[in-house]
């Protein structure tokens, strides 16, 4: 069986449950003042927020923690009358392609004002939206994805001088990395230790062949079936993968169960320096099981929150 799966659509998520193991309460300094930006979900629940360019708009931009650079759609660049800049190579989830650039005098969303930003331009047909906000504009901040209320909260990153305050319905996961490429250091897939990073621009979660091989060696179970899928990204190229189901994904004290995973050695694993290790990225089929996900690029930590009113989620 062969199916086509875009970065915006997952073939199947199966059944899922999410639990939290108990944790001890810790006192901490209050978090910095945060401004909430009311957004809206796209057709696979990825979060989009209003964004202005050179004072014009608002335009609808998707917040993408898996993208190094902000990009805008060609029709937006044309409507704003930007002059063509230098050509660059854009590395997408599936491939790298050449693209022209334009220079924005100002990019603004919520409290964030970015001056003089050089931005690649990609076809609207591939983006399916006005643009993507990448790590070049959100790194160094504390970003909260509120999936229940379709909002983004953003503030300066917290300092590491005080211990983090952890709510009873949250899982706190330390991360490592530079330039916004934060990788969870406490992740296990069916008992196999793996590196994991959050990709809010991906609707499906994908693991590399190193993870697949480690899973086979760990318990001998046949993880991959006969379902071949094709993945497409913002660069328009396609890559093949095989759909499988894992029994349990444990990130910190957070447990996801019975969820879909695609196995494919995508170029993004090379870009993040993870091709030689069991690794995966968490797309929206996992993230939307939580009520909120926080990425603090200053403290280098991830937080996952469960809400009581979500019937699919339970706490241990």
């Amino acid at each position: 069986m062969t199916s086509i799966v875009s970065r915006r659509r997952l073939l199947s998520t199966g059944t899922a449950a999410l639990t939290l193991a108990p944790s001890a309460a810790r006192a901490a300094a209050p978090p910095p003042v945060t401004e909430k930006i009311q957004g809206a979900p796209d057709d696979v629940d990825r979060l989009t927020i209003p964004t202005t360019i050179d004072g014009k708009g608002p335009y609808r931009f998707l917040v993408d923690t898996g993208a190094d650079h902000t990009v805008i759609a060609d029709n937006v660049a044309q409507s704003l009358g930007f002059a063509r800049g230098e050509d660059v190579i854009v590395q997408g989830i599936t491939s790298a392609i050449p693209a022209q650039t334009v220079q924005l005098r100002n990019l603004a969303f919520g409290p964030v004002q970015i001056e003089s930003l050089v931005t690649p331009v990609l076809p609207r047909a591939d983006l399916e939206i006005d643009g993507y906000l990448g790590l070049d504009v959100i790194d160094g901040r504390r970003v909260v994805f509120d999936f229940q209320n379709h909002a983004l909260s953003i503030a300066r990153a917290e300092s590491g001088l005080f211990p983090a305050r952890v709510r009873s319905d949250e899982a706190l996961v330390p991360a490592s990395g530079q330039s916004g490429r934060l990788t969870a250091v406490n992740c296990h897939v069916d008992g196999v230790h793996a590196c994991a990073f959050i990709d809010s621009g991906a609707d499906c979660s994908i693991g590399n062949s190193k993870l697949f091989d480690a899973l086979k060696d760990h318990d001998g179970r046949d993880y991959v079936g006969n379902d071949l899928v094709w993945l497409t990204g913002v660069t328009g190229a396609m890559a093949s993968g095989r759909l499988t189901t894992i029994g349990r994904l444990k990130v910190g004290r957070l447990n996801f169960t019975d969820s879909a995973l695609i196995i494919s050695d995508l170029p993004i694993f090379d870009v993040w320096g993870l091709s030689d290790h069991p690794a995966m990225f968490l797309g929206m089929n996992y993230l939307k099981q939580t009520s909120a996900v926080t990425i603090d690029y200053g403290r280098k930590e991830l937080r996952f929150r469960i809400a009581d009113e979500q019937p699919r989620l339970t706490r241990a």
Side-chain angles (χ1 to χ4, degrees), residues 9-57:
R9 194 164 307 281
L10 177 65
L11 178 65
S12 172
T13 59
T15 59
L18 187 153
T19 61
L20 277 175
S23 68
R26 291 190 288 174
V33 176
T34 302
E35 183 168 333
K36 179 177 287 188
I37 308 168
Q38 187 58 53
D42 69 358
D43 59 353
V44 290
D45 291 330
R46 299 180 306 174
L47 184 60
T48 68
I49 60 172
T51 303
T52 61
I53 300 174
D54 294 353
K56 298 178 181 178

Side-chain angles (χ1 to χ4, degrees), residues 1-2 6 8 32 101 126 138 160 169 175 188 197-198 208 234 257 261 268 279 288-289 312:
M1 178 179 178
T2 302
S6 78
R8 296 161 289 277
T101 61
D126 293 329
I138 62 174
D169 61 351
H188 292 82
F197 64 92
I198 293 176
N208 62 9
V234 295
T257 59
L261 182 68
I268 191 170
K288 68 184 178 183
Q289 295 179 40
R312 294 177 64 196

Side-chain angles (χ1 to χ4, degrees), residues 16-23 147 166-174 184 186-191 196 198 246-259 280 282-283 285-294 302-307 310 312-316:
L18 187 153
T19 61
L20 277 175
S23 68
F147 297 119
V166 183
R167 297 167 39 136
S168 61
D169 61 351
E170 282 185 332
L172 175 63
V173 182
N186 187 5
C187 174
H188 292 82
V189 182
D190 283 348
I198 293 176
I246 58 176
R248 181 187 183 195
L249 169 65
K250 185 172 178 14
V251 184
R253 65 187 187 96
L254 191 71
N255 296 300
F256 299 89
T257 59
D258 298 325
S259 293
M280 65 176 293
L282 305 178
N285 65 314
Y286 283 114
L287 299 179
K288 68 184 178 183
Q289 295 179 40
T290 70
S291 67
V293 173
T294 300
L302 314 174
R303 292 169 181 256
F304 301 85
R305 187 186 307 163
I306 293 178
Q310 289 191 2
R312 294 177 64 196
L313 309 184
T314 58
R315 288 198 298 267

